[in-house]
Amino acid sequence: MSTSSSSSSHDGDTDAGNFQGPSNSRRRFNTAVWPEPFLEALATQIAIDAARSFGRLAAAPALSNLFQVCRTWRRVSQSDLLWQTLTRRIWHRHHLLHPSWHDEYIYRHRTAENMRSRRNNYTTLNFPPNDNNNNHEPLSCRRIALSDYHIAAGFSDGSVRLFHLPSRQHASTFHPHQRNHFGPFSRAVSGIFFTDTRLVFSSLDGDIHVASVHVPGALRRAHLGDVVTDGVLVDFTGTNRWWIGLYAGVPNRAFHVRNSNTEELVFIGGTLTDPDAVFGWHLLIDLSEHVGRIRITNDDLAVGFTRGRVIAFNLRNQMILGEEEFTRPINVGTADAYDKALMFVSSRGVANVRQVDSLEEICRFIARNSLLGCINGGYSFISTGGGVRVWELDRGESLYILRERIWDATAMIADERYVAASTNDNTIHLWDFGAHL
């Protein structure tokens, strides 16, 4: 593992933590009769409105102005319930990594500021060789997943390598159960994600495995795939509530939805990938295609992409919320969804950002030569010609290109702190925008 720094330390407090009292010359209002619950509700609404109108970073300055009205209003800033509500509504963070919800909010705000200004620490993770690869075939990283403390990489031979983020050290390698192959890449990892204490991943042949992040090598097969009946499992994702697989190769079986607690199927159906059946089968011998993507966002919503179509639906009742056929094919490798937004890039290099629930356009921007892409709650990251370019998600403003050049990217992912990309030279590139730089 090699590490180099491409950041400067944080050089001052932001508006998120700068709630100072008013000057003596400020006109004071008689607000003593205003109940604190009302003021909390008002502060919440002002912050959310600012975030919706001007972006999440605008919420903190709006609150700072509000809390300077008088001493009574300033006391509201000490309510941890207020900060819990705002952290959940604006940053979609539902558990603490810091001593209080106020601290959590400030951390999220400053991390997003770091991401906007390109302030980060850059690290490369070099995964160990595959001792089980008897054919000595080169490994290719196909999927990456992030949690608060770990990053997992899934490879073309079906193995998954787990790294500890704070130390950047390799923690464990999981090798799936072996069985008859339907093609040289039938064992390739096609999806990977974290739940609270588990790592769940799938392979193209439909097998689903569950591993413990705290027990090295501990692995069980939760589902035995059936390629002939279901087709090829081209993408797979999940949460603490749902698992969902996107299949291609057999008509009317595109989506397989499972209850994450019981691991039982609750729905099979859909025609999203029916036109791409041949491409699905072709993945078993050639991994160069991106056939489809499936993502789960907040509020039990799922989004599926193929080259010719996007569909958004509710996982609880499988009700379709919106769908659209593209006039020009998209690059499926750039398709992603996070929170309330989704993104895709057309064959002409036009990136389109939409609302998940309605598919209404938010913005668009030019992203020519795009290879892979991903988004988080505020930014878009697209691999273009060896570099990673960053756009602001709400308005499509081009911000910068990450300093480090990468080539032949095979997988990308972003969350609210990290951006990670894998390349064909056995390297995972990791950018850390955490506020404590």
Side-chain angles (χ1 to χ4, degrees), residues 10-19 57 60-61 64 105-107 109-111 113-114 119:
H10 192 79
D11 55 2
D13 290 341
T14 69
D15 288 327
N18 185 23
F19 302 122
L57 292 176
S64 181
Y105 187 98
I106 292 174
Y107 177 84
H109 178 96
R110 290 176 174 172
T111 297
E113 280 194 326
N114 288 348
R119 186 182 295 117

Side-chain angles (χ1 to χ4, degrees), residues 333-397:
T334 64
D336 197 13
Y338 190 104
D339 187 26
K340 299 184 183 299
L342 62 87
M343 179 193 72
F344 55 84
V345 181
S346 74
S347 58
R348 291 194 171 186
V350 178
N352 206 295
V353 182
R354 306 280 188 91
Q355 293 180 5
V356 168
D357 55 357
S358 65
L359 299 186
E360 181 180 350
E361 183 174 294
I362 298 174
C363 70
R364 61 175 60 189
F365 52 87
I366 302 301
R368 293 190 177 92
N369 303 316
S370 58
L371 302 175
L372 295 175
C374 57
I375 64 175
N376 63 13
Y379 305 99
S380 166
F381 307 87
I382 298 179
S383 171
T384 57
V388 177
R389 184 178 290 274
V390 182
W391 283 266
E392 191 271 337
L393 201 60
D394 289 334
R395 290 174 289 276
E397 177 188 356

